[in-house]
Structure formats: C-alpha cells, structure tokens
Amino acid sequence: MAKKSKYVYFFGNKKAEGKSEMKNLLGGKGANLAEMVNIGLPVPAGFTITTEVCTYYYENKKKYPKELKADVLAALKRVEAAMGAKFGDAKNPLLVSVRSGARASMPGMMDTILNLGLNDETVKGVIEKTNNPRFAYDSYRRFVQMYGDVVLGLKPVDKHEEDPFEVIIEKKKNDNGFKFDTELTADHLKELVEEFKAAIKEKTGNDFPTKPMDQLWGAIGAVFGSWDNERAIIYRKINNIPAEWGTAVNVQSMVFGNMGEDSGTGVAFTRDPAAGKNLFYGEYLFNAQGEDVVAGIRTPLPIAKLKEDDPKIYKQLNDIRNILEKHYKDMMDIEFTIQQGNLWMLQCRVGKRTGFAAIKMAVDMVKERLISKEEAINRIEPNQLNQLLRPIFDLDQKKVAVGEGRLLAKGLNAGPGAASGKIALSAQDAEDMANKGDKVILVRIETSPEDIKGMNAAEGILTARGGMTSHAALVARQMGKVCVAGCGSLKINYRDRTVGVEGKDILLKEGDYISIDGTTGEVISGKIETKPSEVIQVLLNKTLDPKDSPVYQTYASLMNWADKLRRLNIRTNADQPDQAANAIAFGAEGIGLCRTEHMFFGGDRIMSVRKMIVSDTLEDRKAALAELLPLQREDFAGIFEVMNGLPATIRTLDPPLHEFLPHEEKETNELAEALNISVDKLKQKIDSLHEFNPMLGFRGCRLGVLYPEITEMQARAIFEAACDTQAKGIKVHPEVMIPLVGDLKEFKLQEKIVRQVAQEVMKEKGRKIKYLVGTMIELPRAAVTADQIAKGAEFFSFGTNDLTQTTFGLSRDDAGKFLPLYVQNEILPSDPFEVLDQNGVGQLVKMGTEKGRSTRPDLKVGICGEHGGEPSSVEFCHRTGLNYVSCSPFRVPIARLAAARAVVKELSASKPKKTKSSGKGKKKKVSKKKK
Ligand code: ADP
Ligand code: MG
Ligand code: MG
C-alpha cells in the first residue's frame, strides 16, 4: 500500500525532519539546511517542499497535490512559533525567503525572493519592531523588485536593455543628485516601492499581490516554473542533470544583513577553491543583503578582514568552518548573514572547485586523515586531471610582454591556468567566434547565467566586476576555464565594442588578442606563448626536478594510489617512438594500437606506397614492397626499443588503399613519371580504385587476403625489427593484430602468413621471439562469431570506432550533419564516437568477450578506440572484465584514474550501507519512494 507522501519538511528549533542524505527529496539546499540545524549550527527556521511536488506539478498540468496547501500552512505555523512572529501580521510580521534548491546545485539558475510577506500594512510592523524605517522600506523595495522580476516577469527583454528597476533607481538618484544607493532615504525608498509596482502593472499588466499568502504561493509557483526556463535547461544539459529530478522549494524566515553596520552578509569556502590550499577563503559586505556579495555591484571584502572588523563573529565563523569540514569531510561552500551581531548560516554545500584544487584537497585530506585514499580517488573526475596538464604562460615571454608595457591590469586569480585569445564582448559573440575556430577570451563587466554557453565556448573569462565567488568565478572553476575576475580598472564598453584601462592610453577592440593568467590574475594585451605544465615538465620534458614541483608531487601521490587500486591495464595508441615514450612517462603499460600506415606518409615513403598500390603485376608490387621493408623495420625497431619489454600491438595495413593516392595534378604527374607510365593510364588506375563506401570496402584484412605479399612484408619488418632489438639486449613483445576480420577463415589466412614469416625470420636470425597473433573485433559479425574467431586469435582488441560505425550503420565522416542534432534532441544521450554506447556497441563488446573466452579462457581482451580514454567507457571496460584499455598518450593518466574509480565504485556497491549521493555528474534514477 502506498503510504501518504510527506510533501513538507520542517527545520528549526534545533531539530529538523530532514538530513543531508535526503538530497534527492529535499534538494541540496534543503537537505543541508536540515543537517546544519541537526548539528547545532544557527539556522533561521523554515521548511522545504519536496522535489516530488515539482515532479507532480509537471505531471499534472502544473497543479499541486491537494494536501500541499494544508501541509504548508501547518509548517508555516511551526516557523511562526520558532521565530515568535506571524506571517502577514500587521504588528509583528514574519518575513520569509523563497529559495529554489535542486539535487545538484545549479548556481544562479533559479532566483531567490527575499523579504516576502511585506505589504503596506506589514511594513509598518517592521518599522515599529526595528525603529528603522529606512531598513523597512529598503527591504520592501528589494522585495517588490525581486518579486516583480522573478514572479511577475518584469525584466530586460534583450541583452542591450537595462534592468527596468535599475533604470527607475538611477532616475531617482539623478533627480536627487545622489551618487550611491545608500543616499536614498526611507521616503525615497517608499516612493520606489510605488514606482516599481506601477512599472510592473504598466509593462506586464500584473497587479502586485498585497496578501502575503498570495505572494507566497506566487513565489512557490515561480520556483517550480523556473525548473523549465531556458537557462536551467542549458545548465542541465552541460552538467548532465536529468529533467526528471525537479527542484525543491525552501521557505525560510528572514534574517537581515542590511540592518546597519553591525550587520552583513557573506559567502565563503572552507578551503581555497582555486588552488586548493587549506585557507579560509571568502568575502563579505557590511550592511548588505542577499546576493549583493556575488552580484558584483559592490566589491566585497576578503574574509581575513573580518578578523579585524569583528573578531568575535570571525572566530564563530571559523569554528563553524572546522565543524563543517569535520562533519562533511569535504571542502564546503557556505553562505551566512550577520544580523546585528548575530551569525546565521543560510547555506552550505560541497564546494565547487577547479581540477587543480580538487586534486590538491583530496590528497591533503588523505594526509590529514580526513578521508581514505579510495574516497580521494572517488572525488576527482578523471577529466579534471587535464588541468594539471594544461599549459601555463612561458615566464620569459610574459616578462617580455610586461617589459613592453603590455600588462594592462591585475584582477583576481579566480581560475588557474593561462589563456590567450581574441576578445569577445558577449556570450553570443564568443560562441560565434569559437565556432569559426578562433580561440576566444570572453570579456564582460560581469557574467550572468545567460552567458554560460559563451563561457563554455571561451578559453578563458575576464570580468571587470565581482569577487572570487562571483558568478563568473564560480562557473569558470566548475568548467575548468581560466578566469580573472573583478578586474576593476578595465573599462568595458559594450556599445563601442572596446576595452580600455583606467589611467592608461590603451584601447583594445573586440577581436584583438588578450592574454589572462588565472594563476596570478594578470591581464596582458596581445598573445603570449604558453609552455607545458609542471607535470609535463617533470614527466615529458624532464626540465623540472620532481622535488621542485609540489604540483607534480600531488599528482604523483594520487596516481600512485590509483595504480595500486586498479585492475585494468592501461595501454596507449601510438604510432611513433616519441609518442610511445610520452605515453610511458604518463604510465602506459604497453601499446594497444600501433597503426602501421601512419608511417606511410613520412618523407618520400609515400612514393613507394603509391607504387605498391598501382602496380599491375605481382613483381612490381613486390619490388615496391621491398622498398618499404627497411623503412618499416626501422620504425618498428624504434618502437620496440622505447617499449623496452612492454607489449606492443602492431596492426597490419588497414585503410582503403586509395587514401594514399595522389589527389593533385602535380603529384599525379610525378607519380606517373616515377612509374614510367602515362598520366592517363595512372588516372584510369586511380579511377578504378574508387569506392562508393570505402569504409565498408577494400580495406582491413581484405587487403592482405587479396595481396598476401603486403602482410608478408609487414610481418617480416616486425620480426626482423624484433630480432634486431632483442639482439641489443632489449626485451620485445610483439603482438600482431589483424584488422577488420569478420570470419575465422579470414583470420586464419592472415595468421598463417604471419606465423610462417615469423618462423623464417627467427630461423634466419637465430633468435626466438615470444609473440601473439590476434585480431581486432570491429564488425558485429566478429563479435557474434567470437567463439569461432578465438579458436585462432590469441587476443582481441575491440576497435570501438569502427564497431560503433558498423553497429549503428553510421559513417563517422558523414555524421556531422545530423549527429549533433541527435544529441541535442536527446535521441542519443551523447556522441557514441566519444562515449561508448554501452547499451548497443557495449553489448557487442560484452558478447564478444564472453564468447571469445568460452573458447579460450585466457584470451587477452582490450579496447583501442577513442573510448579507451573516456572515463565512463573505461568503467564499462572494467565491469566487462577486459584486460586493458588503450588510449592516446595524453589520456593515459585519465584512464588510470578512471580505472581506479571503477574499482572504488565496485567496492562501494558491494557494501551497500551508507549510500551517500554525490549528486553530481552521474545520472541517477528519480526515487519515487522514500523511507
Ligand atoms: P542560490 O541558490 O542562488 O544560492 P539562495 O537561495 O542561496 O540562492 O539565496 C541567495 C542569497 O539570498 C543567500 O545567499 C542569502 O544571502 C540570501 N537569503 C536567502 N534566504 C535568506 C534568508 N532567509 N534570510 C536572509 N538572507 C537570505
Ligand atoms: Mg540565485
Ligand atoms: Mg545560495
């Protein structure tokens, strides 16, 4: 029997009905407000309307469950009792805020309404209670402004229009010759209330609701409605948040930071979210309310200053910081308000951080014994490692730029890294320019949630206003973008499309180059070259001693723990010795795919390749192949040497031959001359090689089946190189891989050649080489008949690029026209060429693995498509029992971490106690039931 749902959860009076584990139901904000109450922190009383109501609302033509009204009224009564005030009372009114709160935090997506419950009657009660008419009317006008915008819809219609409320305020100031908002008196603010209401009526036709209860339901409806606004939808898309999750609504009694100079409001992080240092990090403003700190209207003070300004509150806040870190075992992002010397906590959540900071904090917290190594690994999204590998500015180059007077200004170092690009002054321009292939720096006075697509398209973000916790800084850190915020001396002019600098005779135009250093906050005109990150300097360039690089040491600790945990081996896709060497430095344990044909284009080899392709007779072809043999042998020897005993999978020729043929007149003529045939004849030959569907044509093992001499030459090159390398005292482990096999017989034909040649070469050289012959599984038929194929093949490597093409019947080269739309419209969850399609292609991988091992239990299985370096695909490979994944060298660290995370996930699934939802990234089912 379905129990009656509980739709409303009260918190306050030191007890809450919810707790932090209930994020799915109460949203992140509601669950953590409840948790803070439960651990004894000061939180104004309130209640949370569950996400189930949101789901209900959308499933029932925007109606609420019928019990909701009574539940809300009952909860409101409890809040009134807790706060000793009455909602709508003319003498002693309770005011509330109405706040949205989804499971995963969606910064700035849905707007909060403060001071709700004010009208011409209740405002008098506030005046009486506080003896402060200015405060009362300031609160009232803020309320009308927020409500008018969020609920009644009076807002700018396009990006060029100014906020209509701000226009009215400006006019009021001008009429009175004021410069600051603070100069407005109670009477002015009272006038503003009326003028705001009149503007709302005139522009939207809506009357401003006078009854507090109507205001409340209007606000609740607006929060639920905002779940489906465009900004929210875009944010969900970028962050993989399913639409079914819904938002909760929090109604909470107000506390006031705008009651004078002993009041204030602030936001803080329990550690530095940019660089990860263990420092209290935040900002506050005296005599301010709500989002004043993050809105960038006034530049806030750093939290360290609070220690001087109000040591008592600072100590209390710092104690709370420690309590929260111990309790949550993580870096928390908090919002607080000081009302006349009393501290109130208004929000806490696990703080967003850069990849840089995430790694540093996780490693530090293990060392502080706050979390386990497994937990540390679990906390880092593998892709965040990219931030440690990302280039930084070349210091010499930067010095030159500064010497030339190009240092424009210094802002806040809000998102580490270095970026150079062309100035774009709006999000739309940033997107358009990036689409044209330009690197872009988005330069804005401040950013707002509307800008996220442009921010996503930019290399870096530069703002003139706003602090370390401003929208720009927050979102940039989350996206892993370089960001300099609050660069106050910039004079950005949207109309003239220019950027000037206070006190400097410089004017940059949109499209000009600018460089920003998110680690130092420096803004420099023009382009600056970048150089490799510290990790790269240590590992690849070997120009930095590990001892001198704390960043590298942190990286190394983490990777070390990951390696101890993971079971999946990580190999690399590398065609050349230098690539292979990089991959090994990044921790690769072998080559999973060496594409022999990639070497065919180098130097004048292409001529020999072309000769081989157009030859009409076996002799001619063999002659051309003889030219290629020493070249290939040299290539392979180079690889074996670098691998130094690690296995190397070398694939025989795969692509359709005409890929190598000349396309231009000049090249064609040269080739004809070299072949000593007429241009016409050559052209005929080229035409005859034309294919309608080259991807499904004469390629893969089909080449070797028709022209066994090609496979023969390649096998000879491999084994001669192997013997020569072994003769130098270096161990070799070749694994010869036959591509595009669809049937055991095809494989057998090729295998026979390889083994014969191997035998011959070993005999000639008097050496013994241990080697394997296996195949790529990249056709559905191969997966289906894998039990047969495994009779011959000693290993499988799933070529998931082709397997995706052939499973979907979808040519990757032609998919550009429609695939993005498929993803956009959620016909597919993501591009299957980037993220392995686990339900389709993945099932073939699973079947192929199982069938293959049913014949050959010790069959070695790996994957070598692009997916080998994509975290969710790596996890799939782990679950499916593959032996290794192979990916491009720079993705090797990511794959190592992803493989370790797969183990952590498995471990936490096997001990089902305490399921703490991280709420981010991964999709989870909406829980319809609750306990
Ligand atoms: P967001 O989801 O954008 O963070 P919030 O719901 O946290 O929005 O509201 C924004 C700000 O409004 C808070 O940081 C806080 O300063 C202020 N605020 C919200 N509720 C209250 C309240 N009950 N009393 C005082 N200030 C509040
Ligand atoms: Mg907000
Ligand atoms: Mg907030």
Side-chain angles (χ1 to χ4, degrees), residues 386 388-391 531-544 549 551-552 555 582 585-586 890 893:
N386 281 329
L388 290 191
L389 309 180
R390 206 164 45 189
K531 75 169 192 179
S533 77
E534 287 190 16
V535 173
I536 305 280
Q537 288 181 51
V538 171
L539 288 177
L540 304 193
N541 307 3
K542 318 236 189 305
T543 49
L544 185 62
S549 172
V551 173
Y552 171 78
Y555 164 88
N582 285 349
F586 278 134
F890 273 71

Side-chain angles (χ1 to χ4, degrees), residues 29 100 106-112 231 291 294 335 449:
K29 199 178 285 165
S100 63
M106 295 171 61
M109 285 298 106
M110 285 167 281
D111 292 304
T112 294
R231 288 187 281 162
E291 309 229 275
V294 287
E335 297 178 0

Side-chain angles (χ1 to χ4, degrees), residues 29 99-100 107-108 112 267 291 294 333-335 346-349:
K29 199 178 285 165
R99 320 170 65 185
S100 63
T112 294
V267 296
E291 309 229 275
V294 287
D333 166 353
I334 61 179
E335 297 178 0
L346 289 173
Q347 189 170 337
C348 85
R349 61 184 167 205

Side-chain angles (χ1 to χ4, degrees), residues 202-249:
E202 188 199 308
K203 301 233 177 72
T204 71
N206 290 316
D207 284 310
F208 197 88
T210 47
K211 286 200 195 113
M213 206 49 90
D214 293 344
Q215 296 171 354
L216 180 61
W217 285 104
I220 293 171
V223 173
F224 284 138
S226 71
W227 180 251
D228 247 11
N229 74 28
E230 200 195 337
R231 288 187 281 162
I233 292 170
I234 293 170
Y235 187 89
R236 286 205 290 273
K237 178 125 264 162
I238 294 179
N239 291 283
N240 273 323
I241 297 172
E244 314 84 74
W245 278 7
T247 180
V249 180

